[in-house]
């Protein structure tokens, strides 16, 4: 299938809700490494696993011309390794505008992910990281991301189980962020 679109100027690729897992990624790794015009990639609910996230990140990092604007990988079981690998992509490209990584079950992957988004501080407009249970290990990175990303207009941090001792830090960051738009 990917051979048929390889020479096209594809800007949006939605593969969501297909249970292809890491084995299925092998069929489009080459496309990702050559898709210079790709700006929007949706691999939500594809059963990627940590390995799949690493495979996608490695393929994208081979493509020096691609500049992703939107990435969605909700419910893809990326966990720590997958989110950390994708953090390298966002840090290097510095172009992400919308990121949806809802429900990926990471234990420590949110810290590198949120830290990488500081590099996208002038482009990141929408961030959806709800239902990732380990945010308390990444509060400093979340706070920095909220404060530093001055273009941020949509933020979904619901169902993160933020501990009481951290909520004031997050609230203070939101106050700082609100002053960006005054």
């Amino acid at each position: 299938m990917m051979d048929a679109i390889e020479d096209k100027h594809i800007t949006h690729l939605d593969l969501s809700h297909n249970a292809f897992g890491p084995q299925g990624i092998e069929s489009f790794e080459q496309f990702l490494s050559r898709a210079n015009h790709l700006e929007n990639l949706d691999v939500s609910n594809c059963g990627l696993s940590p390995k799949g996230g690493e495979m996608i990140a490695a393929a994208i990092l081979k493509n020096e011309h691609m500049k992703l604007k939107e990435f969605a990988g909700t419910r893809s079981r990326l966990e720590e390794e997958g989110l950390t690998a994708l953090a390298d992509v966002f840090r290097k490209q510095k172009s992400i505008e919308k990121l949806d990584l809802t429900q990926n079950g990471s234990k420590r992957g949110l810290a590198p992910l949120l830290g990488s988004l500081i590099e996208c501080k002038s482009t990141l407009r929408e961030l959806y990281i709800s239902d990732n249970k380990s945010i308390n290990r990444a509060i400093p990175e979340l706070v920095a991301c909220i404060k530093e990303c001055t273009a941020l207009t949509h933020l979904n941090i619901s169902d993160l189980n933020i501990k009481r001792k951290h909520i004031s830090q997050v609230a203070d960051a939101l106050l700082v962020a609100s002053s960006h738009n005054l």
Side-chain angles (χ1 to χ4, degrees):
M1 172 186 84
M2 292 299 158
D3 291 342
I5 63 172
E6 192 165 310
D7 294 330
K8 307 283 189 259
H9 291 269
I10 303 294
T11 59
H12 291 69
L13 179 60
D14 186 342
L15 297 168
S16 64
H17 308 289
N18 289 290
F20 51 72
Q23 298 78 12
I25 294 167
E26 293 171 3
S27 65
F28 66 93
E29 279 179 301
Q30 186 174 352
F31 170 78
L32 290 175
S33 68
R34 296 180 183 176
N36 296 341
H37 301 283
L38 189 65
E39 296 177 350
N40 182 328
L41 178 60
D42 189 342
V43 288
S44 296
N45 196 24
C46 290
L48 299 179
S49 78
K51 180 180 179 184
E54 291 173 326
M55 292 168 69
I56 287 174
I60 291 172
L61 288 169
K62 289 179 186 175
N63 187 336
E64 294 188 21
H65 301 289
M66 181 195 299
K67 295 290 183 192
L68 281 177
K69 291 182 180 179
E70 297 184 16
F71 182 87
T74 64
R75 298 179 60 209
S76 286
R77 299 179 14 242
L78 294 168
E79 304 289 343
E80 181 177 348
E81 298 86 353
L83 292 177
T84 300
L86 288 168
D88 292 339
V89 170
F90 306 134
R91 183 178 295 108
K92 180 181 178 195
Q93 290 188 347
K94 300 177 185 176
S95 60
I96 201 74
E97 295 176 9
K98 180 180 180 182
L99 183 59
D100 190 348
L101 289 166
T102 300
Q103 199 181 50
N104 272 287
S106 176
K107 291 183 179 163
R108 287 183 169 69
L110 286 177
L113 175 77
L114 292 167
S116 75
L117 296 177
I118 302 299
E119 297 296 326
C120 306
K121 62 184 170 188
S122 63
T123 60
L124 184 65
R125 293 178 293 104
E126 299 180 46
L127 177 60
Y128 306 92
I129 56 167
S130 63
D131 200 12
N132 282 293
K133 301 294 187 219
S134 64
I135 194 64
N136 291 294
R137 296 179 179 168
I139 291 297
E141 292 83 0
L142 175 63
V143 166
C145 183
I146 293 170
K147 287 181 178 179
E148 300 279 332
C149 294
T150 57
L152 194 62
T153 59
H154 292 76
L155 176 64
N156 187 340
I157 54 174
S158 64
D159 198 20
L160 292 178
N161 294 326
I162 298 172
K163 290 183 180 176
R164 186 177 311 171
K165 66 182 181 180
H166 298 305
I167 200 66
S168 63
Q169 295 170 42
V170 174
D172 289 344
L174 290 167
L175 285 172
V176 170
S178 68
S179 68
H180 297 161
N181 296 321
L182 296 178

